[in-house]
Amino acid sequence: MNIGDRVRLVHGREEGVIYAFLPGNVVEIEIEDGFRIPVLRNEIVTISPVESQRMVKTDEPKKVAGRAEGVVPRNAPFAEKGIYLAFISVNDRALTVHVINNTDWILPFTAAATSESVSTGLAAGVLQPRSSQKLAEVLMKDFESWPVFDVKMLYFREGSHQLPLALNKRIRCRAQSFYKNKGKVPVLGKDGFVYQLDEENLKREVPGISEDIAGEIKASMLGQSAPEQNSLSKPEQVVDLHIEKLVDNHKSLSSDTILKKQLDVFESNLESAIANGMDEITFIHGAGSGALKNELHRRLGKNQHVQFFKDALKEKFGYGATLVKIR
């Protein structure tokens, strides 16, 4: 027997792959969903490649549906949200990392781990509805040095409709928020630590807006090198959101367009600050009508990576800036 051999338990129905040989004539077997169990060596037998092929169940003949049976209800419910990154304990030392699709979308995706500006590919493929894929394994003792997990996804479904904007999410695990995310992992039905990736996604955009992400996913799935993209650079400690600092010709812009631009800059800088491990960042929003400040505070209050926020340096900014403390 060697590591990687497929085996079956003599007195059970479980099958798996040999992961490691342990002291005391014990073998560690990795079974479904990446979970491992220790068994005595004399309690397992190797499955030969020929036997594996013979044991594969042939597909049952498909029933030809009548015309009425093949009609999809016009208003059939469609689960649009439910994409997660989950950490599930293997034992008291290690956890496995999974990407979960608990929606009715078909999701082409790539997943990578970024540490000290070096990105390592974890997986690429297509997540079918109500499915999951294991990405990696991490050790609790290395928690403080875990990488940033970078997940990119496209949305697909049959028929005519307007697709949501491609999902591009970076997750950096912080101790306080990590343990608050303990709960039941969707699809897998196991206890773990769960981050929802599409909590504020599903914005509809015009076709073609996500060509860079589409190119990266396609290249990864074909085994090619992905096109070079700029990683999230570390933002300034203080970010000025006054519109004249963001665009050259702002006088012709409507109030709604100005607010959207300011919020986009706020979101991108906050995400970059979190991904780069910054402890805090300050946003200058001015006093004005209070619309920008109120919306910033609303979003900050919902962000799981924000420890707290407050008025920043009143003697310098008055009530026109907010200091954000990151977990």
Side-chain angles (χ1 to χ4, degrees):
M1 291 184 184
N2 299 300
I3 291 176
D5 286 350
R6 188 162 187 81
V7 295
R8 179 176 62 248
L9 270 64
V10 175
H11 300 294
R13 301 176 63 181
E14 291 86 355
E15 294 182 4
V17 175
I18 295 178
Y19 182 81
F21 293 100
L22 306 177
N25 211 27
V26 174
V27 180
E28 192 172 29
I29 307 299
E30 184 170 296
I31 58 175
E32 187 181 0
D33 295 331
F35 292 95
R36 302 187 195 129
I37 57 174
V39 296
L40 291 173
R41 189 163 183 165
N42 59 6
E43 290 292 320
I44 57 175
V45 292
T46 305
I47 301 175
S48 69
V50 174
E51 182 184 357
S52 296
Q53 292 176 6
R54 289 178 179 174
M55 293 178 68
V56 174
K57 295 181 180 179
T58 57
D59 293 336
E60 295 182 2
K62 294 183 179 180
K63 178 183 176 183
V64 179
R67 188 174 184 85
E69 291 177 77
V71 176
V72 178
R74 186 166 188 171
N75 296 319
F78 187 90
E80 292 204 327
K81 279 195 172 187
I83 303 172
Y84 305 90
L85 189 71
F87 298 79
I88 301 176
S89 297
V90 178
N91 48 46
D92 59 351
R93 296 177 291 108
L95 302 96
T96 50
V97 188
H98 305 258
V99 62
I100 312 285
N101 178 14
N102 195 30
T103 76
D104 289 325
W105 294 106
I106 297 173
L107 304 173
F109 80 99
T110 64
T114 303
S115 182
E116 297 181 355
S117 300
V118 177
S119 184
T120 302
L122 300 178
V126 178
L127 271 180
Q128 296 297 328
R130 319 295 173 179
S131 69
S132 67
Q133 181 163 332
K134 177 182 171 183
L135 300 179
E137 181 175 310
V138 291
L139 299 177
M140 282 305 304
K141 69 180 182 67
D142 299 329
F143 182 86
E144 294 299 326
S145 58
W146 280 5
V148 175
F149 294 95
D150 189 349
V151 180
K152 295 179 173 65
M153 290 184 176
L154 300 176
Y155 291 84
F156 173 80
R157 62 179 290 196
E158 293 182 353
S160 300
H161 45 266
Q162 191 175 4
L163 293 174
L165 179 68
L167 179 69
N168 185 0
K169 195 71 174 179
R170 295 167 68 93
I171 295 293
R172 181 185 179 91
C173 297
R174 302 274 187 164
Q176 293 183 10
S177 59
F178 183 79
Y179 291 106
K180 287 181 181 178
N181 287 333
K182 187 172 184 180
K184 191 71 70 176
V185 178
V187 177
L188 296 178
K190 304 178 184 297
D191 292 329
F193 304 91
V194 187
Y195 291 83
Q196 184 167 357
L197 304 183
D198 61 345
E199 192 170 9
E200 293 188 359
N201 207 51
L202 293 182
K203 297 177 182 177
R204 262 62 179 183
E205 296 289 347
V206 294
I209 197 71
S210 306
E211 291 178 357
D212 288 343
I213 295 177
E216 181 175 335
I217 291 175
K218 180 180 178 182
S220 297
M221 292 175 67
L222 294 175
Q224 302 169 352
S225 58
E228 246 183 72
Q229 289 186 341
N230 294 328
S231 58
L232 289 180
S233 57
K234 191 172 183 179
E236 298 293 330
Q237 199 74 39
V238 178
V239 179
D240 194 338
L241 297 178
H242 284 96
I243 192 62
E244 59 268 22
K245 300 289 185 179
L246 308 180
V247 297
D248 293 331
N249 186 17
H250 64 277
K251 294 183 178 179
S252 60
L253 301 178
S254 66
S255 298
D256 288 343
T257 303
I258 290 174
L259 181 59
K260 183 180 184 303
K261 176 63 178 177
Q262 291 172 316
L263 291 174
D264 287 346
V265 173
F266 159 73
E267 290 283 5
S268 62
N269 278 275
L270 179 61
E271 183 178 350
S272 297
I274 293 169
N276 283 279
M278 293 175 62
D279 292 325
E280 61 182 45
I281 186 171
T282 298
F283 293 98
I284 303 175
H285 45 68
S289 65
L292 177 59
K293 177 180 179 180
N294 291 339
E295 181 60 19
L296 258 60
H297 287 191
R298 186 188 72 81
R299 297 189 181 196
L300 290 169
K302 293 172 59 178
N303 194 306
Q304 60 188 352
H305 297 290
V306 173
Q307 185 173 354
F308 66 83
F309 55 92
K310 64 178 183 178
D311 291 329
L313 298 175
K314 293 180 183 177
E315 65 277 9
K316 183 176 181 180
F317 301 112
Y319 290 93
T322 295
L323 170 69
V324 181
K325 191 70 174 179
I326 301 171
R327 296 185 189 280

